[in-house]
Amino acid sequence: MRVSIIGSGNVATHIAKALKNVNVQVLNIWSYNVKNAKVLANKVDADAVAEISRISIDDSDIVLIAVKDDAIANISLQLKDYKGIVAHTSGAVAMDSLVSHKNYGVFYPLQTFSKQKELDFSNVPLCLEANNETNLNQLKTLASLISKSVYEVSSEQRKILHLAAVFACNFPNYLYGIAQQLLARNQLDFDIIKPLITETANKIQTALPMEVQTGPAVRNDEQTLKKHEGMLQKHPEWLNIYQLLSNQIKNNRSY
Amino acid sequence: MRVSIIGSGNVATHIAKALKNVNVQVLNIWSYNVKNAKVLANKVDADAVAEISRISIDDSDIVLIAVKDDAIANISLQLKDYKGIVAHTSGAVAMDSLVSHKNYGVFYPLQTFSKQKELDFSNVPLCLEANNETNLNQLKTLASLISKSVYEVSSEQRKILHLAAVFACNFPNYLYGIAQQLLARNQLDFDIIKPLITETANKIQTALPMEVQTGPAVRNDEQTLKKHEGMLQKHPEWLNIYQLLSNQIKNNRSY
């Protein structure tokens, strides 16, 4: 199986490297950013092509579109002569956006990627969808080469996943940021709280979050809640978050 | 050095086990719950004493009070004849609550403990405070035996730590719970999102949270934000959280 890739960002980079690691040939890479395309192509022994039309007529079996959501439709148009499977990697874009192709699907890695940070791709859940069984099987074959966690997920379910990821990743990260700033403003090292963050994420690997909820709100510890609110008077934004989340936790104590 | 412990809950249990693991003798354990005291005492080869007065006159160098915050003052009174160092393990109670003793301090482990889940205590940050240098050094000696992360933290700073822990642990866990419920209601396995939760917590071990913020809000991706809000119409509580946090992330994009 041979793969070409559109894009040179975080997702494109991590997938391309994962493919190279299992000796799947990455044939061509095209990106709006020619320089980044070359950097990535060098890393995975692929060709950085100057014209996207070169990918339209290349010999790859699958082309992965790993670009910003709002650029997918335009890229799809430019690939109209491509004969293999066209799959995008977005969590938020419906598969139908590729309907003009004969063979199409979705190859969505549910993970947060940073270019500078390596990660073990074999643990990245890959959420797949395709316009027919044959194409789905081909995407599954490719996915199984690079990940232990391969899921078939409909466009409707994928929307839910994408929304859930905001609650599970983007929002917790913002809250980590508030904690970090609270500590920094009081001459405390962010390191001191990192083991707690790690353990909180570890706990829910084997338990439901609602079963391991801790803190003053779930204990209905009004005295501590009042103290904390007092300490946040100078940070009305953080106070809003504190009150909204504490109230919901209190109200859901029984679950 | 010999230690006695008041309490038999999560904190008492994890500290007692950690002490036994490094061959520090746990002499006596007393708890409101006699049965739990016996269970814990058996685990660490200590004596479960029926009367707290027995601890007042025992030969331990340090007694750790690991009970609920609002019970600390009362326990302290009952230990009035104790000659060693009296230290509580609370994040939220000021050291002054023990001022009636000659030797006193705080021995606060900044971690979320579950009885059923083992953890490597050597990574648990221990935040220490004492009424004089001699007692502080003795607490440091004990702490260093069981943890690599020992910090001297004032009562004022400890209040901040306790508040930051709500943002770094209790609130993220509640958000994990929302993600889990969103998935369950759409026939999606919670497992699919667990690697994302792990990686989000891993990322901030080496980067500031604000530097690795991802998601539609920080991209100012209005289309996705609107879609997500539409999907949350049936869950007004979760919609409130979504809007409050997204707005703050948008406003703080520049940091």
Side-chain angles (χ1 to χ4, degrees), chain B residues 59-131:
Chain B
D59 292 330
S60 58
D61 303 287
I62 296 171
V63 60
L64 297 176
I65 305 179
V67 300
K68 278 194 291 186
D69 289 357
D70 53 12
I72 291 174
N74 182 33
I75 297 285
S76 167
L77 276 179
Q78 297 187 58
L79 290 173
K80 62 181 170 11
D81 297 325
Y82 184 73
K83 302 289 180 226
I85 303 173
V86 179
H88 74 64
T89 61
S90 165
V93 175
M95 182 173 70
D96 286 354
S97 64
L98 303 174
V99 74
S100 63
H101 298 275
K102 193 178 158 213
N103 303 300
Y104 58 99
V106 177
F107 195 90
Y108 169 50
L110 180 57
Q111 186 51 282
T112 172
F113 297 106
S114 321
K115 263 195 184 172
Q116 65 277 20
K117 189 171 179 300
E118 297 292 328
L119 60 75
D120 181 357
F121 205 95
S122 69
N123 291 322
V124 175
L126 287 171
C127 306
L128 309 182
E129 191 180 5
N131 71 315

Side-chain angles (χ1 to χ4, degrees), chain B residues 156-209:
Chain B
E156 275 308 304
Q157 286 178 314
R158 190 153 37 79
K159 276 192 214 167
I160 297 288
L161 271 179
H162 193 249
L163 173 59
V166 174
F167 282 95
C169 164
N170 307 149
F171 289 165
N173 184 73
Y174 182 69
L175 299 174
Y176 300 158
I178 294 176
Q180 182 267 321
Q181 288 177 67
L182 273 170
L183 298 181
R185 289 172 192 198
N186 290 275
Q187 293 73 52
L188 283 159
D189 196 333
F190 185 41
D191 282 350
I192 197 171
I193 211 160
K194 287 177 179 173
L196 178 66
I197 288 173
T198 303
E199 179 66 10
T200 303
N202 282 346
K203 266 190 176 179
I204 58 83
Q205 304 294 322
T206 51
L208 285 177

Side-chain angles (χ1 to χ4, degrees), chain B residues 200-220:
Chain B
T200 303
N202 282 346
K203 266 190 176 179
I204 58 83
Q205 304 294 322
T206 51
L208 285 177
M210 63 183 76
E211 290 168 355
V212 293
Q213 183 68 49
T214 54
V218 77
R219 289 196 309 271
N220 212 5

Side-chain angles (χ1 to χ4, degrees), chain A residues 47-191:
Chain A
D47 284 328
V49 296
E51 303 291 330
I52 195 168
S53 55
R54 271 280 301 283
I55 288 187
S56 286
I57 55 166
D58 77 14
D59 292 330
S60 59
D61 304 287
I62 297 171
V63 60
L64 296 176
I65 306 178
V67 299
K68 277 193 291 186
D69 288 358
D70 53 11
I72 291 173
N74 182 34
I75 297 286
S76 167
L77 276 178
Q78 296 186 61
L79 290 172
K80 62 181 170 10
D81 297 325
Y82 184 73
K83 301 292 182 223
I85 302 173
V86 179
H88 73 64
T89 61
S90 165
V93 175
M95 182 174 71
D96 287 353
S97 64
L98 304 172
V99 73
S100 63
H101 299 275
K102 195 179 156 211
N103 303 300
Y104 58 98
V106 177
F107 195 90
Y108 169 50
L110 180 57
Q111 188 50 284
T112 172
F113 298 106
S114 322
K115 263 193 183 174
Q116 65 276 21
K117 188 170 179 304
E118 298 291 328
L119 60 77
D120 181 357
F121 205 95
S122 69
N123 291 322
V124 175
L126 288 170
C127 306
L128 310 181
E129 191 180 6
N131 70 316
N132 63 41
E133 203 65 23
T134 312
N135 292 336
L136 183 65
N137 284 334
Q138 201 156 356
L139 290 180
K140 275 185 185 168
T141 302
L142 182 69
S144 304
L145 290 171
I146 56 176
S147 172
K148 294 178 296 199
S149 302
V150 177
Y151 296 86
E152 192 181 336
V153 168
S154 70
S155 284
E156 277 307 305
Q157 286 179 312
R158 189 154 36 80
K159 276 192 213 167
I160 297 288
L161 270 179
H162 193 248
L163 174 59
V166 174
F167 283 94
C169 165
N170 307 149
F171 290 165
N173 185 72
Y174 182 70
L175 298 175
Y176 301 159
I178 294 176
Q180 183 267 321
Q181 288 177 66
L182 272 171
L183 298 181
R185 289 171 193 199
N186 290 276
Q187 292 74 51
L188 284 159
D189 195 333
F190 185 40
D191 282 350

